[in-house]
Amino acid sequence: MNRRVVAALAALALHAGCEKGAARTVPPAPASSEATPAPAPASFVLSGAASQAMGLLQSGQPDQALAQLDASTGDADQLAVLGAVWAKKAEAAPLPPPPPLSSPAPKRATPPPAPEFKPEELTALGFLERALQSRSGHPVASLALAQVLAPHAVRRFELEKAAKERKGRAKPLPPLASDTDFRPERVVEALRAAVTGMPASREPIETMIEFAARVERYDDAEWALDELVKLDKEKPEPLVRYGDFLRDRRREPHQAIERYRQALMWKPDDESVLSRIADIYIAQGIEAFDRQQWAVSQSRLQEAQKYVRNPNSPQGLRIRDYQSRLATIRTAR
């Protein structure tokens, strides 16, 4: 065997050996964009003393929970639970009194407004903000923060709404007696973090639905209803709630009907859902009748009839009444 062949074989052997040794250190190939997505994480779990303290808080023992916690550690979990404990204690605390008037008080002096937050709420907010500084988006801290701020945001929203709707000379709203940011946007941001961080928990979702509806942030409420449907995938109740929201808040009857029909897939004979769909079609049929849109009215009433099981029920009798009126109009023409 000549020297060139020997050299070539040696080189191949050396190359193969290098590849074999390097196989252990080569990083894995990046996952394909079409790879199966990773499953959703389980509900957020607190660690150590924070977990024990949260258990005590949930069993109605806030003072015992406080004894388990140490704020000096700077641990985000402990700070979050400390905030949750003080938020709970704030619920039973009295409202703070307004500050006293200066002495001597000027004539017709307007008393200064009472502080916006109770001392216990301010203590809770201090711990919660520290927890969020330590771990951005901490779900327990985010939920507790939203629960402390939400009542203040709702009250301010309702005052501002009433001021806009008031006729005549409207008194200006009193200035905010706090530097704390409790705008609805901040509450919603905290609740989104809580929902995302605790995907197996209903509490942040329910809190978001209630709060967003109260302050008329319907896109956020609808997002939370979507999350609720994902959480209870094989139950009709979330879909019915979604339909009620679309019907009553969004004023979108066609979209509401779609959610009700999805609920019927799980419970086809649910009389309450069937009645909801029939009511929407009946209302649309009567509205079209009043506008003299006879064909539309007849179509809507026929759709309603599909969802009425008892023709002698109030719904059935109402459908029959308007169908009779339509028949009279057709005969007269």
Side-chain angles (χ1 to χ4, degrees):
M1 189 178 292
N2 62 39
R3 293 181 179 179
R4 290 185 179 180
V5 173
V6 172
L9 290 172
L12 287 172
L14 177 62
H15 180 67
C18 290
E19 284 190 337
K20 185 176 180 181
R24 298 178 184 175
T25 59
V26 172
S32 168
S33 59
E34 298 179 358
T36 304
S43 186
F44 185 82
V45 177
L46 293 164
S47 60
S51 178
Q52 297 175 5
M54 180 58 79
L56 290 168
L57 176 61
Q58 291 173 340
S59 65
Q61 304 178 72
D63 292 326
Q64 290 84 339
L66 283 178
Q68 298 285 326
L69 300 166
D70 182 5
S72 66
T73 65
D75 176 63
D77 284 358
Q78 292 204 48
L79 291 169
V81 179
L82 276 165
V85 171
W86 279 102
K88 187 66 177 177
K89 291 170 77 70
E91 292 177 5
L95 292 172
L101 289 170
S102 59
S103 182
K107 293 182 179 179
R108 299 182 181 178
T110 302
E116 180 69 37
F117 290 92
K118 302 175 183 179
E120 293 82 359
E121 289 176 317
L122 292 174
T123 302
L125 291 172
F127 284 124
L128 297 171
E129 287 168 353
R130 285 177 59 192
L132 291 168
Q133 287 172 0
S134 175
R135 189 187 305 175
S136 178
H138 191 294
V140 174
S142 296
L143 177 59
L145 179 78
Q147 290 171 334
V148 172
L149 299 178
H152 302 272
V154 168
R155 183 167 57 252
R156 189 69 183 184
F157 171 82
E158 291 174 346
L159 287 172
E160 291 175 350
K161 183 179 179 181
K164 292 176 182 177
E165 295 173 350
R166 195 179 297 123
K167 297 180 180 179
R169 296 177 61 186
K171 295 181 180 179
L173 288 177
L176 295 174
S178 173
D179 295 329
T180 302
D181 178 10
F182 55 90
R183 292 172 300 117
E185 292 81 1
R186 188 183 187 199
V187 178
V188 164
E189 181 183 2
L191 286 172
R192 281 182 177 265
V195 171
T196 304
M198 294 188 285
S201 176
R202 295 178 63 93
E203 185 178 6
I205 298 175
E206 294 287 357
T207 305
M208 172 72 99
I209 294 170
E210 180 183 357
F211 174 77
R214 291 282 301 275
V215 298
E216 298 179 7
R217 294 180 63 95
Y218 295 146
D219 287 345
D220 295 309
E222 197 164 345
W223 176 83
L225 284 162
D226 277 325
E227 295 298 313
L228 186 62
V229 170
K230 294 175 189 176
L231 188 63
D232 294 331
K233 294 179 181 179
E234 299 182 0
K235 294 182 181 179
E237 292 80 11
L239 290 162
V240 175
R241 286 182 63 184
Y242 205 155
D244 290 346
F245 170 80
L246 292 168
R247 179 194 63 189
D248 301 333
R249 296 282 187 167
R250 285 289 202 186
R251 307 295 182 187
E252 295 176 349
H254 292 293
Q255 287 80 355
I257 287 172
E258 288 305 310
R259 294 297 183 277
Y260 293 144
R261 284 174 174 162
Q262 291 172 14
L264 288 174
M265 293 173 63
W266 300 107
K267 196 175 180 182
D269 297 324
D270 192 319
E271 291 290 342
S272 67
V273 179
L274 294 168
S275 179
R276 283 170 164 86
I277 298 175
D279 277 339
I280 290 174
Y281 279 127
I282 290 170
Q284 291 177 339
I286 294 173
E287 182 181 359
F289 183 92
D290 293 340
R291 294 179 178 177
Q292 299 185 5
Q293 297 172 339
W294 316 126
V296 174
S297 179
Q298 181 67 29
S299 173
R300 296 295 184 270
L301 293 171
Q302 287 174 345
E303 284 296 317
Q305 211 163 20
K306 297 176 184 178
Y307 297 92
V308 176
R309 294 290 182 261
N310 181 5
N312 294 318
S313 66
Q315 287 178 324
L317 294 174
R318 205 171 188 196
I319 292 170
R320 192 186 310 169
D321 174 35
Y322 275 89
Q323 286 180 330
S324 176
R325 297 187 197 188
L326 288 167
T328 303
I329 290 169
R330 284 196 298 269
T331 302
R333 297 173 64 187

